[in-house]
Amino acid sequence: NQFEKESSLRELFATANAKAVSMDSVETVFLSMKPSLIPYMMELIDNTETFSNKYLTMVPGSNGIVFYTQNAKQLLILLNSLTN
C-alpha cells in the first residue's frame, strides 16, 4: 500500500544519507580524455581523498567526464595541477 511505500522511501533516504541539492548554483567542468580510460579515471577520482568535496557528481561523456560542482575554479585548479 501507499503508506508502506512511503515508509520504505523514508527509510531508504535516511540509510542512504540522501539530500536534494539545488542545481541553481552548480557549474560544470569537462575533463577531456581518451574514452577508453573514462571508467578507470572515474573510479580513481571517486576513491581519492584529493577530490573529496570538490564535485557533486560526475558523468561519463563520449570524450571525457562532466563534473557538476559548486566551485568550478577550485576543481579546474586541481585537475590542471594533475595534467602538468
Side-chain angles (χ1 to χ4, degrees):
N1 81 28
Q2 187 64 25
F3 178 76
E4 291 172 351
K5 289 178 184 177
E6 289 178 11
S7 293
S8 294
L9 273 174
R10 276 191 211 85
E11 286 180 32
L12 184 56
F13 268 63
T15 302
N17 199 22
K19 64 179 180 177
V21 178
S22 171
M23 298 293 274
D24 290 343
S25 64
V26 174
E27 303 170 309
T28 56
V29 173
F30 183 71
L31 177 62
S32 177
M33 61 181 301
K34 292 180 182 178
S36 62
L37 296 175
I38 292 170
Y40 182 56
M41 180 70 80
M42 289 180 69
E43 180 182 338
L44 285 179
I45 289 171
D46 195 39
N47 294 301
T48 303
E49 285 294 318
T50 305
F51 283 90
S52 178
N53 299 316
K54 300 292 190 291
Y55 62 93
L56 296 170
T57 192
M58 61 180 156
V59 180
S62 58
N63 290 306
I65 301 169
V66 178
F67 292 89
Y68 292 90
T69 180
Q70 292 179 322
N71 191 337
K73 184 176 180 179
Q74 184 181 24
L75 181 58
L76 281 168
I77 290 169
L78 176 57
L79 291 169
N80 286 325
S81 75
L82 295 170
T83 59
N84 297 326

